[in-house]
Amino acid sequence: MALTKIFTGMAQGPEKINDNFNDINGRIPDAGNWIDLPIRNGFRGFVRVRPTKYPSGKTKVDIYMEAGGLRTNQGKYMCDFPAELVPKKELPLRWAQPNNNDYSNIGASIGGSKTSIRLNYAGGGSGDLVVLFDLSYWLDV
């Protein structure tokens, strides 16, 4: 719907303004709050997830995580994840080490048969420093 132009002296001006606001409000996505998820299986750090519902009915999910304890916990699930937010296909998480370069490669993913974020492998140096992970995906796709 296109917005109605408002002008001085128009009939039903306040109603038309209200219709314009309703149209705009119907196009704004509903960004939920970040939800803290419990981290488990010997990992350290935190996991946050935020679902955003769009007026079209689609849902976008954002994940942000800071995790340590990777070296000794390969093959384990990192957190409890809401089942309704798990993607249908397995998706890899992006990772970064902003303050170090301890790891040469890391594989973490969620979705498909993986019902939570899983650390598949971590290779590299001798330390066990914190790594940042993130992922954004459309739930409905």
Side-chain angles (χ1 to χ4, degrees):
M1 171 179 157
L3 297 177
T4 301
K5 185 174 180 175
I6 306 299
F7 55 91
T8 303
M10 74 181 291
Q12 297 182 326
E15 291 82 0
K16 297 299 181 187
I17 292 171
N18 191 53
D19 290 345
N20 283 346
F21 279 123
N22 288 336
D23 182 54
I24 291 169
N25 287 337
R27 297 179 193 199
I28 298 173
D30 180 16
N33 294 324
W34 285 96
I35 301 165
D36 291 321
L37 302 178
I39 202 158
R40 61 183 175 120
N41 287 333
F43 293 99
R44 301 182 318 276
F46 65 87
V47 181
R48 292 189 177 122
V49 62
R50 178 183 61 192
T52 301
K53 296 183 191 265
Y54 284 78
S56 64
K58 293 186 177 184
T59 300
K60 180 181 174 208
V61 178
D62 298 302
I63 299 171
Y64 179 75
M65 175 171 56
E66 294 183 12
L70 277 60
R71 183 144 348 272
T72 57
N73 289 303
Q74 296 180 55
K76 295 181 182 176
Y77 286 101
M78 302 173 88
C79 67
D80 296 316
F81 206 83
E84 66 275 10
L85 299 179
V86 175
K88 294 175 187 167
K89 295 180 181 179
E90 183 177 357
L91 302 171
L93 277 76
R94 292 181 297 264
W95 62 279
Q97 303 171 96
N99 300 318
N100 61 76
N101 62 357
D102 193 39
Y103 295 98
S104 58
N105 54 34
I106 295 176
S109 60
I110 185 169
S113 63
K114 294 177 174 65
T115 57
S116 185
I117 299 171
R118 182 175 186 268
L119 178 64
N120 300 314
Y121 59 86
S126 58
D128 196 11
L129 303 173
V130 170
V131 175
L132 308 179
F133 294 89
D134 73 279
L135 178 64
S136 293
Y137 58 92
W138 291 101
L139 188 61
D140 317 87
V141 177

